[in-house]
Amino acid sequence: MPTKDAAELDRIVLDYTNVMADAIGSEHGIVHGELSSELSRVKEISRSLKKQRADGKLAFMDLPHQKGWVREIEGYVRRMPKTIENFVVIGIGGSALGNIMLHSALNHSEYNLLSRERRKGRPRMFFLDNVDPDRTASLLEALDPRKTVFNVITKSGDTAETMSNFLVARQWLLRSVGKKALARHIVATTDAKKGHLRKLVEKEGYESFVVPDGVGGRFSVLTPVGLVSAAVSGINIRKLLAGGAKMDEICQTDSPTENPAALNALLHYLLDTRKGKKISVMMPYVQRLRDFADWYRQLWAESLGKKYSLDGKEVYTGQTPVKALGATDQHSQIQLYMEGPFDKVVTFIGLKRYPREVTIPRAFTDMEGISYLGGRQLGELLKAEQESTALALAKNQRPNCTVTLPRLDAFVLGQMIYLYEVQTAFAGALYGVNPFDQPGVELGKHYACGTMGRKGYEQYRDEVDRGLSKGMRMTV
Ligand code: PA5
């Protein structure tokens, strides 16, 4: 249970009171015996993860300690010509969600609207992580190619969405800056040796960064995948990594009740497998963390949603992650969470103190229904909403926990990223699945390649055609 001492002021606090049976009853909450019966298994998992790490099999765990590419990235940022006004990340999934999360969490909320001076000369940031033609065309229409750099990110080097957007952007650049200047407008982040993008780097001479071996997309935000665009927009990537390193230190203990990654994985696993909480909602009451919830959604879904266990049995595991935002989604989803099926666990993320406050003006003092707000702070209201929702859910026997951050900066975000990545590794081991592959995503990619006529993928095209001919449709 959390203790309120002075040290808490500067620490992340995980309050799990409301997932326990003491608070919400044993039908939906975890009984102490259920928790303790799994502690020795979690200890074993902790030791096994350490062994795998020592054997070089969990490269993502070492990322906060890799300083080599930080200097390279800082050098790249220094060299970027002052004429560049726009920086566009092209990627998808793990090659984009981390970038978006870092930007929205750590940069000014209206970063692109700030004057160049207030952005300290840094370019505006854009993220192209879909192939909706309207989005791609609209973005290019709004930008000046001579003042734009594209950071194309793909570990495999041939993801159809990313490479299509890249080919469109490259053509668009070619038309205005010409072949000679093309490379000055492109920076690639991809595998050191494999894939078509690496071949293009060599052929056309783009600047490039490496996605290290053994680090999957959704675990790669603390590599050049996430760090290049972060540094370009002025985020302190050294502090981000220092936060990750600090969390690594915290997660060294094999004692599950002292290791937040192990404990939170175990709580979610028990809620899923013993209490039927098949849905895990992450609901920050911090606008800047809305995309952290999006990043988490991919991490939890792709890592744990598996058909086969490690020993080859069909298991169909995984908790469905849902993202929500407080207080906005109190007015869209909370009714369901409060009174709908008993199938969810909610994680609130809050801030000890909001970095800035807005006072609600005193006005209309004769109107009791609104005058009580006068003189109070918006942050006070948001916090009150968060705490009230947690309490109301608990009253309705709905498990929920709260992660409170001391502040939101690069260090604390680095801690949170690392915490959730390690938590996912623990959860994978608890479910007995491999959290680092994504065969389901790959299958979808194969069908798309088949449909688009890629050589070698004909069988997938035939399957899609057969499926379409049998389809049932209603035209209205
Ligand atoms: O987490 C993952 O591995 C995936 O989401 C990938 O990041 C995504 O499919 C994009 O792959 P790539 O970086 O190879 O383009």
Side-chain angles (χ1 to χ4, degrees):
M1 273 326 108
T3 54
K4 293 238 181 289
D5 60 24
E8 270 192 15
L9 286 176
D10 200 39
R11 296 217 188 136
I12 296 170
V13 180
L14 166 65
D15 184 335
Y16 58 103
T17 312
N18 289 343
V19 302
M20 300 302 290
D22 294 345
I24 60 169
S26 59
E27 194 181 342
H28 299 292
I30 301 166
V31 177
H32 286 283
E34 290 172 321
L35 194 64
S36 49
S37 69
E38 292 284 354
L39 294 183
S40 57
R41 190 171 155 223
V42 178
K43 252 188 207 167
E44 262 320 298
I45 291 174
S46 177
R47 292 192 192 113
S48 153
L49 290 176
K50 278 188 187 151
K51 165 102 180 46
Q52 291 175 54
R53 181 179 183 176
D55 293 345
K57 291 186 188 141
L58 294 174
F60 85 90
M61 284 188 156
D62 296 324
L63 296 174
H65 309 284
Q66 311 257 329
K67 295 285 151 41
W69 54 56
V70 171
R71 277 184 290 277
E72 271 178 56
I73 293 170
E74 288 170 345
Y76 170 76
V77 173
R78 273 194 303 275
R79 287 194 307 279
M80 183 176 281
K82 298 281 166 278
T83 47
I84 296 304
E85 286 183 2
N86 312 302
F87 193 84
V88 184
V89 169
I90 298 180
I92 198 165
S95 291
L97 288 167
N99 305 63
I100 298 170
M101 174 257 287
L102 293 178
H103 179 65
S104 55
L106 298 175
N107 284 327
H108 191 285
S109 296
E110 303 301 338
Y111 176 92
N112 280 355
L113 295 181
L114 296 179
S115 66
R116 195 168 163 87
E117 198 188 353
R118 284 205 55 200
R119 280 188 272 118
K120 303 206 170 91
R122 296 180 184 113
R124 296 181 295 175
M125 305 298 292
F126 301 92
F127 302 89
L128 207 44
D129 70 339
N130 201 355
V131 278
D132 182 321
D134 182 48
R135 161 74 177 139
T136 301
S138 304
L139 179 62
L140 297 185
E141 199 173 77
L143 303 179
D144 178 344
R146 292 161 307 167
K147 299 178 180 172
T148 302
V149 163
F150 291 89
N151 180 197
V152 52
I153 309 173
T154 162
K155 180 179 164 67
S156 60
D158 59 5
T159 298
E161 295 88 338
T162 301
M163 292 313 285
S164 301
N165 270 331
F166 172 65
L167 292 174
V168 171
R170 177 181 169 278
Q171 183 71 21
W172 177 79
L173 284 170
L174 269 178
R175 277 199 207 108
S176 16
V177 304
K179 203 158 181 178
K180 255 175 101 184
L182 180 71
R184 290 209 284 275
H185 295 264
I186 294 169
V187 51
T189 308
T190 190
D191 190 88
K193 297 193 191 94
K194 293 191 292 269
H196 291 97
L197 185 57
R198 180 54 63 189
K199 285 191 192 125
L200 291 181
V201 167
E202 280 149 22
K203 190 170 156 61
E204 303 210 316
Y206 315 145
E207 282 246 22
S208 73
F209 291 93
V210 168
V211 186
D213 268 350
V215 180
R218 57 196 175 276
F219 291 86
S220 69
V221 59
L222 298 180
T223 73
V225 168
L227 299 179
V228 172
S229 65
V232 165
S233 67
I235 290 170
N236 189 331
I237 58 174
R238 286 179 188 265
K239 282 210 176 133
L240 197 64
L241 294 174
K246 176 71 193 171
M247 189 52 73
D248 183 20
E249 194 187 307
I250 293 169
C251 293
Q252 281 306 308
T253 171
D254 290 329
S255 160
T257 49
E258 288 164 63
N259 179 338
L263 180 63
N264 214 16
L266 177 57
L267 295 173
H268 280 76
Y269 169 75
L270 287 174
L271 286 165
D272 175 2
T273 55
R274 304 220 184 156
K275 309 286 166 180
K277 309 308 168 203
K278 294 280 164 210
I279 297 173
S280 163
V281 180
M282 180 177 276
M283 188 166 188
Y285 273 70
V286 185
Q287 184 84 21
R288 285 171 174 279
L289 288 178
R290 66 189 185 279
D291 296 321
F292 182 82
D294 215 3
W295 172 82
Y296 158 77
R297 184 172 63 167
Q298 186 209 11
L299 185 67
W300 207 240
E302 263 187 29
S303 304
L304 306 178
K306 298 289 151 73
K307 179 173 175 181
Y308 294 109
S309 64
L310 287 167
D311 51 8
K313 295 201 184 78
E314 285 189 12
V315 284
Y316 301 102
T317 57
Q319 217 176 17
T320 303
V322 168
K323 67 166 189 169
L325 178 67
T328 310
D329 288 328
Q330 275 180 221
H331 299 267
S332 84
Q333 296 171 39
I334 283 292
Q335 171 61 32
L336 173 73
Y337 300 171
M338 210 66 86
E339 294 188 353
F342 284 87
D343 57 359
K344 297 170 198 69
V345 45
V346 180
T347 299
F348 297 106
I349 303 187
L351 272 185
K352 199 146 279 175
R353 207 169 299 106
Y354 291 93
R356 52 207 296 198
E357 261 307 353
V358 174
T359 305
I360 307 165
R362 288 182 208 281
F364 307 109
T365 45
D366 54 329
M367 293 188 195
E368 182 47 35
I370 51 171
S371 63
Y372 72 99
L373 296 168
R376 311 297 294 268
Q377 316 273 305
L378 287 186
E380 202 186 340
L381 175 60
L382 193 52
K383 211 175 227 327
E385 305 248 21
Q386 179 194 321
E387 286 165 3
S388 317
T389 307
L391 184 65
L393 282 173
K395 281 252 172 242
N396 280 307
Q397 293 96 51
R398 313 291 169 146
N400 64 89
C401 52
T402 299
V403 179
T404 307
L405 311 185
R407 58 188 183 281
L408 183 51
D409 60 15
F411 184 83
V412 174
L413 188 65
Q415 284 188 291
M416 285 291 281
I417 290 168
Y418 197 82
L419 169 62
Y420 272 90
E421 287 180 351
V422 177
Q423 177 179 317
T424 305
F426 269 98
L430 280 163
Y431 283 104
V433 298
N434 177 3
F436 305 111
D437 66 1
Q438 56 285 325
V441 179
E442 301 306 334
L443 185 61
K445 284 186 183 180
H446 292 344
Y447 284 132
C449 287
T451 309
M452 294 298 282
R454 183 170 172 182
K455 216 167 160 221
Y457 289 77
E458 293 78 6
Q459 74 179 92
Y460 295 102
R461 187 199 181 117
D462 295 347
E463 253 188 78
V464 173
D465 287 348
R466 279 200 300 277
L468 283 179
S469 66
K470 280 193 268 166
M472 294 170 72
R473 296 183 192 85
M474 178 198 274
T475 305
V476 291

